[in-house]
Amino acid sequence: MDTILFVETTKSGSSREAIKAAERIGYVTVLLTENMKYLEQREEFPEVTHMIHVDSLTEVVIRHQIHSLQKSGMKLKGIFSFVDPFVSMTAHLANEFCDSKISADAYLKMEDKVLTRTALAKNEATPKFMIYETSANLKQFIIEQEVFPLIIKSPLSKASRDVYLVEDRKEMMRVMKGMLKVHPGQQIVVEEYLDGPQYLVELVVVDGEHHLVAVIKQDIQKDLKFIITGYDFQLSLEKSLYDKLFKTIESICEDLGAKNVACHLELRYVRDTWKLIELNPRISGGAMNRMIEEAYGINLMEETLKLFIGEEMNLKRRHENYIYTHYITVNAYGTLLKVTGKNNAMIYEGVREVYVKPRKGTFMTPPTSMGNRYGYVIASGDSASKAKQNALHAAKNIKFYIETNEE
């Protein structure tokens, strides 16, 4: 039985889409998860052939499960994770057990922002940065900073968690002390703040050949944190801008040794130069796979699996649609009583998909990470502005009724 082993998933989004894609192209699917709730909701995962709960997803535990699956007669064709922090570990295991050719060392550098910045220290796309070592004097380190604002990041931050904009030394001290309290021995990345339009690039590299599958302009809400609330697909970029972008991405991949990868980059265009904000060793989460499918007819998760298991992939666009996705957040703390308006939103002009994440009883908060986005609307239009208008208007129908705990 040709089998693909997945290490962890989210309930919805790209990592779940990967399992669905594997089942659709004919593979037995095995999911290793730490989430006991998934076993309790087993019937909600029909695409998973076998679900195995483990207390901890360490490499030792995963290796034990690999050997057990092989002994039971399963032929492993792939071992993958599209969930942090398991991506590089499973890439190494796939290379070892399945003869994959994934650039696992490049993935390891992408997972850790200190390793990323260090590997790209001489690359023009890298912003000015410093690494705070916990052995250094924090007060002295902060006194030495002359230019504000600055971005403060945990090396292992994801989905905007542990990423802060600080305006002065006092704020910097408060943020860094808070981070060190939670992670006492962890380094901290300090970067210059770059102001400019931000784009997300979904990238697949096959034997050193670069495919920019999608370029998406991002709308960012800055309140408690930087939260991406809008994704605006760019069917084409002005040629000189695209050429600069392509060369920048080529140089980044070369410095990282990324010859066979699927990943996404977030970049800002600042003073005629593309600057790298983030780099992650997997497709972007949330609705990204669905968005690309609506925009171009490409199921990127399916094609990524084919790449890693040695099948022929096809990244040719089947069609081109203007697509905009609006993510929904709330501005109150409290318990969700009910959600209304989903059906009304669904029938609005151009709407392709409406998704609402939380169930009744969920504790709701304003966004402090991407995980606090509570739904989305994907819409199309005959222009980029019309697609955005359709998504925003449809989203206005969706109402969250929240019981606040104010006394």
Side-chain angles (χ1 to χ4, degrees), residues 49 68 130 158 171 189 206 212 229 238 274 287 343 355 396:
T49 313
S68 295
M130 292 156 287
K158 57 183 179 180
E171 199 174 0
V189 183
V206 187
L212 277 59
T229 56
E238 191 267 316
W274 286 101
N343 291 337
Y355 174 71
K396 286 178 182 175

Side-chain angles (χ1 to χ4, degrees), residues 4 7 78 100 133 149 171 181 225 228 261 285 315 319 402:
I4 296 181
V7 175
S100 298
E133 303 285 351
E171 199 174 0
K181 189 175 181 181
K225 289 286 189 69
I228 314 299
V261 297
L315 295 173
H319 55 245
I402 298 171

Side-chain angles (χ1 to χ4, degrees), residues 95-164:
N95 290 347
E96 179 181 341
F97 288 97
C98 310
D99 297 322
S100 298
K101 295 182 173 62
I102 307 168
S103 300
D105 288 339
Y107 271 175
L108 183 64
K109 292 171 190 169
M110 294 180 196
E111 278 179 343
D112 185 313
K113 288 170 175 47
V114 170
L115 297 181
T116 301
R117 290 306 190 204
T118 304
L120 299 173
K122 295 181 181 178
N123 194 296
E124 189 184 13
T126 299
K128 295 174 185 173
F129 75 97
M130 292 156 287
I131 308 299
Y132 173 74
E133 303 285 351
T134 51
S135 58
N137 182 297
L138 178 61
K139 188 175 181 180
Q140 184 60 36
F141 180 84
I142 291 172
I143 288 171
E144 289 170 1
Q145 306 311 312
E146 295 177 357
V147 180
F148 285 87
L150 291 169
I151 300 292
I152 312 294
K153 294 180 182 176
S154 157
L156 304 177
S157 73
K158 57 183 179 180
S160 293
R161 292 184 188 91
D162 296 325
V163 177
Y164 301 90

